[in-house]
Amino acid sequence: MIVAASLVLIVLVSVMFHLVSPWWWTPIASNWGYIDTTLVVTFWITGTVFAAVVLFMAWCVFRYRHKPGRVAHYEPESKRLEIWLTALTALGVAAMLAPGLVVWKRFITVPDAATEIEVVAQQWSWSYRLPGEDGRLGSSDVRQISPDNPLGLNPHDRFAADDVVIDGGDLHLPLGQPVKVNLRSVDVLHDFYVPEFRAKMDMVPGMVTYFWFTPTRTGEFEVLCAELCGTGHGWMRGYVLIDAPADYEAWLGEQLTFAGLPAGGVRLAGTAEEGGDP
């Protein structure tokens, strides 16, 4: 009797804690409310299964508790029960997977109007690159990274000259503008994560990953690394500031472009002197 009552109490406390818990998601600051909805659906399905299984256990413990003279009924298999359990399990798994597949389709389908930016991670700091007046990012390669070229931009690529380089600073983005975030790692696995944006993706050395989102409110949001990346992992932090369009343009006009760096200015000038594309 005590065991059965304890199981029922576990279910009641678990459900109440979930409903009144002070630990919930931070207020969302992007279009990815779909992700919150998918998580809520998953919680309800798994919570219902948890409650049903534990309450069934409590009922069995109480209903079939030991009594003098009672003999257990042995039933090695039940095809009817197996069919019901298989069907209900398949239905539950499908109900959890379907919303995720819909969200994933949206997650990887970048709008045509999205602005491409780049996030570069290395132990243990964040750097960023934004397109200049041409609206296009130039090519880059980690093998070209140097003190004069911190993001490894190609000095012979004319599209790289006006790229805005933010080496270790904060990232600013305009409100309401879809953004495709290209992710690059210099050394080990990292993960660019802003909790309020919901969207995130691993950054794998040797390849470029991406996600996209649309900022929906202004503010300052902390950047975290969601992948254990070494002894300085806990200090790998920064900030993304979502600005009103006019404030963003004013900030962007104050930033340094690749052409203003030693590697960009000198080499691009050399290319022009040799008769190549500026």
Side-chain angles (χ1 to χ4, degrees):
M1 186 67 178
I2 295 177
V3 174
S6 299
L7 292 173
V8 173
L9 183 62
I10 288 173
V11 172
L12 293 176
V13 172
S14 298
V15 172
M16 289 303 299
F17 179 79
H18 176 76
L19 294 176
V20 302
S21 173
W23 295 289
W24 203 244
W25 297 296
T26 56
I28 195 166
S30 80
N31 58 310
W32 288 115
Y34 308 107
I35 293 178
D36 286 3
T37 301
T38 300
L39 291 174
V40 170
V41 169
T42 301
F43 279 151
W44 277 109
I45 293 173
T46 55
T48 299
V49 172
F50 166 77
V53 170
V54 177
L55 291 176
F56 176 72
M57 291 173 56
W59 179 81
C60 289
V61 170
F62 175 77
R63 175 68 177 78
Y64 301 108
R65 65 190 183 280
H66 172 71
K67 288 184 178 179
R70 173 177 285 180
V71 179
H73 172 68
Y74 177 65
E75 187 173 344
E77 62 181 31
S78 171
K79 289 186 177 180
R80 182 180 179 184
L81 179 61
E82 290 174 0
I83 291 173
W84 271 103
L85 288 176
T86 301
L88 290 175
T89 301
L91 183 62
V93 171
M96 287 191 295
L97 289 179
L101 294 175
V102 173
V103 173
W104 178 251
K105 172 65 175 174
R106 293 173 180 263
F107 195 74
I108 61 174
T109 304
V110 182
D112 293 336
T115 299
E116 286 198 53
I117 68 168
E118 185 178 62
V119 178
V120 179
Q122 59 183 322
Q123 294 174 316
W124 290 275
S125 65
W126 302 103
S127 297
Y128 309 98
R129 182 160 61 109
L130 292 83
E133 293 182 0
D134 61 12
R136 177 173 174 177
L137 293 175
S139 59
S140 61
D141 193 318
V142 294
R143 291 172 294 186
Q144 300 193 74
I145 291 178
S146 68
D148 293 336
N149 189 0
L151 301 188
L153 274 65
N154 181 359
H156 305 296
D157 185 345
R158 61 189 177 89
F159 294 110
D162 65 348
D163 286 358
V164 176
V165 176
I166 305 168
D167 184 20
D170 295 330
L171 173 65
H172 288 242
L173 294 173
L175 178 68
Q177 170 63 45
V179 179
K180 180 183 178 183
V181 185
N182 295 312
L183 304 167
R184 203 155 52 97
S185 173
V186 175
D187 37 42
V188 300
L189 281 176
H190 297 281
D191 192 306
F192 183 76
Y193 179 42
V194 179
E196 290 84 357
F197 296 163
R198 299 299 188 266
K200 69 188 184 78
M201 185 71 68
D202 278 353
M203 309 171 76
V204 184
M207 65 185 295
V208 178
T209 54
Y210 74 92
F211 68 85
W212 77 274
F213 75 102
T214 301
T216 57
R217 64 185 175 95
T218 58
E220 181 179 274
F221 307 102
E222 188 172 16
V223 179
L224 307 173
C225 181
E227 191 74 48
L228 185 59
C229 58
T231 56
H233 167 70
W235 289 271
M236 190 170 175
R237 301 184 176 218
Y239 288 93
V240 176
L241 291 89
I242 306 302
D243 300 328
D247 295 335
Y248 172 74
E249 291 298 331
W251 170 84
L252 189 63
E254 298 173 352
Q255 304 310 304
L256 191 67
T257 64
F258 180 55
L261 296 177
V266 172
R267 295 196 182 182
L268 287 169
T271 303
E273 290 173 2
E274 294 169 7
D277 290 336

